[in-house]
Amino acid sequence: TEDDNISATNSALCMQMHVDIDSKAVKKRPPPLRPRSKSVETLSSVQDLVMPSSLPWAETCERNNSHNQSHSNSLTIEANLPAGEYILCSLFSEFASLCERKIDIVMSEPLEQPLCKSLARVEDAQMDQILMSLSSVSEHCLACMLKFLFEWYDRQTGTLAVNAGLTQNRIRTLNKDYLLERRDLALDFLFGLVLLEVLKQLAVHPAPERILVRVEELAFSKFVPPDSQASSSPNAVNINLVADLYAELIGEMAVTRYSHLRKILISKISYLRSKEPPSIQHIVAMFMGMRFYRIKMFPVEEFEESCLFLSDCSQYFLESKEKEVRHTVA
């Protein structure tokens, strides 16, 4: 009948649609996963998959290391260091390399030229940026930064060779001692610059006492130069510049170590006064080195310490009879 034919046709169409749907489902079925290779299965941790070359700074590090192989004092930085250590080592390496270049420039200049012409803070934007970066990093690792700086300084002061770029004719015409003295002054100037920036974090980050004591001893030693560095030396102007810079450094440290610095000054002055005859020039230089000492009005304990410092100065002013000393203390 006609109804039987219609139902048979519908059944055939449904079967055809069911077959088409199954074929499409088979086509869209994702392929089976491939078995993992044995080399991956044997890895014990995710760290084994991380190679140093995959780190973002590895390529730059390798390029810098290959470029710095010719410099004996360059710092070799490993590519697989943590980010914080890499930043610290990179900044310190840049600072050391820049200091070497600046010392080379200073050694090629006339002895009479002041160091501030070549080493001033506002004269070199790159140097200013590195010093500011070191100061920011020191907020988190001041003790480590001071340790690195003193290791670098000790290494540089142990190198007493005259710059290789100087010609033999110039060495013959100039006194070799003055050249070495100029190099040491340039090194002291650069070291004072970086210490001045780094120790700004002393108020928020502690540092080992032995390192801070060494900084204070170094600064006070610059106020009273050796007798060999007479005022007639061609480096006399630079000696005064270095003393002024370290006086500023003492002023920065006085924010947190005012009591300790006051005791050091009293002991130094007492020693100089006990010498026969008393060294008036050295006493004047010592007081000039404390001219950046900051008088604090708050809290009360620090205000009392500041008053004691002023009292000591006024007492010495009354006891002293030398006009130069009285003028300096006033």
Side-chain angles (χ1 to χ4, degrees), residues 68-125:
N68 292 333
Q69 285 180 356
S70 59
H71 298 280
S72 59
N73 293 332
S74 61
L75 182 64
T76 302
I77 306 174
E78 297 181 1
N80 57 352
L81 287 175
E85 294 183 19
Y86 179 81
I87 292 173
L88 177 60
C89 293
S90 298
L91 286 175
F92 191 80
S93 179
E94 289 292 332
F95 169 75
S97 300
L98 185 59
C99 286
E100 289 180 5
R101 295 196 298 268
K102 283 187 168 293
I103 290 177
D104 292 342
I105 295 174
V106 168
M107 293 296 289
S108 63
E109 295 173 346
L111 287 175
E112 296 78 12
Q113 182 167 338
L115 294 175
C116 60
K117 296 291 185 179
S118 304
L119 306 180
R121 277 168 281 193
V122 296
E123 297 294 334
D124 191 343

Side-chain angles (χ1 to χ4, degrees), residues 238-249:
N238 293 326
I239 294 173
N240 294 330
L241 288 175
V242 171
D244 293 340
L245 179 62
Y246 280 85
E248 190 175 352
L249 176 62

